[in-house]
Amino acid sequence: MWSTRDIYSFNPGLCVCVRVCSYRMEGQESSCSPATPERSSNTPEPVRSSTSKHRKSPKRRREEKRSQCHHQDDQEHLLLPDDEQIRLPGQHEHSEPSGSSTAEMAETSPKRRAHFLHGPYPATHFGPKACILPNPTSVMHIQDPASQRLTWNKPPVNVLVIRKIRDESLVEPFKELCHFLVEEKGMLVFVERRVVADVSLTTDETFATIRKQLCTFREGYDDISHCIDLIICLGGDGTLLYASSLFQGSVPPVMAFHLGSLGFLTPFKFESYKTEVAKVFEGNAAITLRSRLKVKVVKDMLQRTGQPGQQQYQGSGGQGQAGGQPDTEHNGLLPHGHANSEAGNITLQMQVLNEVVVDRGPSSYLSNVDLYLDGRLITSVQGDGVIVSTPTGSTAYAAAAGASMIHPNVPAIMVTPICPHSLSFRPIVVPAGVELMITLSPDARNTCWVSFDGRKRQEISHGDCIKITTSCYPVPSICCHDLVYDWFESLAQCLHWNVRKKQARLADDVSDSSDTEN
């Protein structure tokens, strides 16, 4: 069954209203929705005799009740009426007739495709007898990115302003924005301490009154993640990456103004900042949920056994299997019970917006790392390194390494090799729900290095591993127009995607080019 509901997320005082379709596997009840499935009017009631009613167990009666949902027609398409309500498979409006009259109307009236960015959910029955095994705990939420609109539960009060440092051209825009937020909008503005300590601001007497009303913080010392309602970035894409690093959990909406070098993630022009900021405060702005990667660096999780191609897992006590036998890989699979083990010391856990880069560092040797997907060895990367990126990061380092560019609303993780010593190693895209693990190969001649959005670079040695999966805390980036137009506008303006000189049109009297002259 399908059902619709609105979900609300992010910090208290603000939310994002998203139209969500919940699909429940046929024949199963969902624990997420209290509504019970409606039986089609064409489905006959099962005939039950008075004797068999008392013989059947409650479990048997529940199974019969659930089996009534199997007569739903899975081949219908999703429709979207003019009032933007979702019409779902097996669900009809109260005013529509049922039975054969509905089929006749479907044949005569044209069907309009639903305005969804995600494709329709596939049918779960294949032919007359085959179907997907029902799972009572399987509930799939399909977000409609086209309906993602920002709204406020309470009026925003606290605004974080992030300014690109070491850029004198941003001093005046920063002062204008702070004056507008404090004096005209009555907001409480948070600014990093080193930004306020800029000499050009401390010596400006006209800004002294505003500077005293600013709330300052220090990165790594003060936690502001639970008190910020809105983030405004002044600069380039680096300001958005920095904003993401400040919030390791729920992230407030981010409004980015293009005042930097590239500006692929900053769609707003500062010339109209008063109008644009006022619109955001009023709510009902389009947003793009930019997925992030949840990364863990685990030290001393694997211990080398001294035998090529074999590694031994250590528990908290530092012991392997009984009898001292190593837990070796079998057909590319890690030993049972150890693939997702948290044995070892987790030295770093953070959210990454763009990419995780594993490279050879200062060594002149090739890096040699093993890549696991959900506990199974996929391949060994021999080259300069490997990039694991989000769709947002697909237009950054991954694009320079030859990967495809993916729209940020596509749920996926990209794996891109850096100068691989193989002619057949192409970038791949894997589902967003998998867990990737990167370890140093047993035969590697040197260590490797890892960085996260270009920060917190550290060395990875034998026995260490990096675990990567999709985070449940995306970055809600406010769109200037809409999430599709903004992305293609950035491709054209910033990366000059598919820019070439137009081919000249042939004159009408010129013969076809395929004709050959004798």
Side-chain angles (χ1 to χ4, degrees):
M1 289 290 295
W2 292 79
S3 61
T4 59
R5 63 189 180 95
D6 292 335
I7 63 172
Y8 301 89
S9 56
F10 312 120
N11 294 347
L14 56 100
C15 65
V16 174
C17 180
V18 181
R19 175 62 53 80
V20 174
C21 302
S22 299
Y23 179 84
R24 292 175 291 177
M25 299 296 293
E26 293 191 5
Q28 302 295 335
E29 295 178 355
S30 172
S31 59
C32 298
S33 178
T36 57
E38 295 182 1
R39 186 173 63 251
S40 173
S41 59
N42 298 331
T43 304
E45 284 284 351
V47 180
R48 299 177 181 178
S49 61
S50 59
T51 57
S52 62
K53 182 177 182 180
H54 297 285
R55 291 177 183 175
K56 295 179 180 177
S57 63
K59 181 179 179 180
R60 178 62 177 171
R61 290 197 297 269
R62 287 196 298 268
E63 290 177 354
E64 287 186 353
K65 185 177 180 180
R66 293 170 183 172
S67 65
Q68 298 171 6
C69 299
H70 283 281
H71 299 281
Q72 302 277 346
D73 185 11
D74 287 319
Q75 302 300 326
E76 295 184 19
H77 297 282
L78 244 61
L79 300 179
L80 186 65
D82 294 334
D83 58 355
E84 295 186 356
Q85 295 297 320
I86 301 178
R87 187 180 302 169
L88 306 165
Q91 183 181 23
H92 304 280
E93 295 182 355
H94 296 290
S95 58
E96 290 184 354
S98 60
S100 60
S101 59
T102 305
E104 294 175 358
M105 292 180 60
E107 294 178 358
T108 56
S109 59
K111 292 185 178 181
R112 184 161 60 94
R113 180 185 179 274
H115 187 62
F116 289 165
L117 294 185
H118 287 331
Y121 191 85
T124 58
H125 283 74
F126 317 107
K129 297 181 179 179
C131 66
I132 293 179
L133 179 66
N135 186 356
T137 62
S138 176
V139 178
M140 181 180 181
H141 300 295
I142 301 177
Q143 296 183 357
D144 176 19
S147 65
Q148 291 173 173
R149 310 291 299 181
L150 173 68
T151 184
W152 303 95
N153 287 330
K154 298 178 181 179
V157 177
N158 303 327
V159 180
L160 171 63
V161 178
I162 297 178
R163 195 205 89 185
K164 180 181 179 181
I165 59 174
R166 296 191 297 271
D167 191 344
E168 295 298 327
S169 64
L170 298 183
V171 175
E172 288 301 323
F174 174 77
K175 292 191 295 184
E176 291 183 24
L177 179 62
C178 290
H179 183 275
F180 171 74
L181 294 175
V182 174
E183 296 294 338
E184 299 186 28
K185 294 298 182 179
M187 298 291 169
L188 189 61
V189 178
F190 287 75
V191 181
E192 193 176 4
R193 180 174 298 182
R194 58 177 177 172
V195 174
V196 181
D198 194 310
V199 178
S200 58
L201 295 178
T202 56
T203 57
D204 189 354
E205 296 296 334
T206 59
F207 191 68
T209 305
I210 302 297
R211 187 174 65 250
K212 294 179 181 179
Q213 302 181 55
L214 300 178
C215 299
T216 60
F217 71 94
R218 293 180 300 169
E219 181 188 5
Y221 295 92
D222 303 321
D223 184 14
I224 60 172
S225 59
H226 299 288
C227 58
I228 300 299
D229 300 327
L230 176 67
I231 304 174
I232 298 180
C233 298
L234 302 178
D237 297 340
T239 58
L240 191 63
L241 297 177
Y242 177 69
S244 172
S245 66
L246 294 177
F247 297 85
Q248 294 301 301
S250 178
V251 185
V254 181
M255 185 178 189
F257 287 93
H258 179 29
L259 292 171
S261 302
L262 184 62
F264 191 90
L265 306 178
T266 54
F268 289 94
K269 304 297 181 182
F270 190 76
E271 289 75 11
S272 57
Y273 76 93
K274 291 186 177 181
T275 303
E276 300 296 346
V277 172
K279 289 180 181 178
V280 172
F281 286 157
E282 294 173 0
N284 196 29
I287 64 167
T288 298
L289 297 183
R290 299 185 179 274
S291 62
R292 295 194 291 178
L293 298 176
K294 182 175 68 174
V295 186
K296 293 181 183 178
V297 177
V298 185
K299 294 289 187 178
D300 301 325
M301 182 176 177
L302 308 171
Q303 181 182 11
R304 196 163 175 200
T305 64
Q307 302 176 9
Q310 293 185 350
Q311 293 174 332
Q312 179 178 351
Y313 275 74
Q314 284 188 340
S316 57
Q319 301 295 328
Q321 284 184 336
Q325 296 296 327
D327 294 338
T328 58
E329 298 174 3
H330 178 66
N331 291 334
L333 285 174
L334 293 179
H336 179 70
H338 292 282
N340 295 319
S341 174
E342 293 300 334
N345 182 25
I346 300 178
T347 60
L348 179 66
Q349 182 172 345
M350 65 178 303
Q351 311 283 329
V352 175
L353 178 58
N354 261 0
E355 73 271 311
V356 178
V357 178
V358 180
D359 57 64
R360 63 182 183 177
S363 174
S364 59
Y365 291 110
L366 290 175
S367 67
N368 192 354
V369 296
D370 292 338
L371 177 63
Y372 294 84
L373 189 148
D374 284 341
R376 180 181 294 274
L377 177 63
I378 299 300
T379 189
S380 294
V381 182
Q382 297 184 92
D384 283 352
V386 63
I387 305 170
V388 180
S389 60
T390 64
T392 297
S394 67
T395 55
Y397 194 177
S404 298
M405 295 179 289
I406 301 180
H407 190 276
N409 271 108
V410 177
I413 299 177
M414 294 192 63
V415 179
T416 307
I418 306 174
C419 298
H421 198 250
S422 171
L423 298 178
S424 60
F425 196 167
R426 305 301 304 160
I428 61 173
V429 179
V430 297
V434 303
E435 182 184 61
L436 298 173
M437 187 172 73
I438 300 176
T439 64
L440 198 63
S441 296
D443 299 328
R445 297 184 178 183
N446 57 288
T447 61
C448 62
W449 290 74
V450 60
S451 60
F452 314 92
D453 283 343
R455 311 182 72 196
K456 299 185 182 296
R457 185 172 173 83
Q458 58 183 274
E459 189 176 12
I460 300 298
S461 305
H462 286 284
D464 304 341
C465 75
I466 308 166
K467 293 187 175 183
I468 306 171
T469 188
T470 300
S471 170
C472 61
Y473 298 109
V475 174
S477 178
I478 301 177
C479 302
C480 182
H481 300 93
D482 60 70
L483 68 170
V484 175
Y485 178 85
D486 285 1
W487 191 68
F488 280 98
E489 182 74 7
S490 297
L491 287 180
Q493 297 297 328
C494 301
L495 299 183
H496 302 289
W497 176 63
N498 196 27
V499 174
R500 72 177 298 271
K501 187 176 181 180
K502 290 288 186 179
Q503 187 180 35
R505 180 177 179 271
L506 293 176
D508 296 336
D509 57 345
V510 177
S511 60
D512 189 84
S513 59
S514 62
D515 297 338
T516 59
E517 298 181 1
N518 296 327

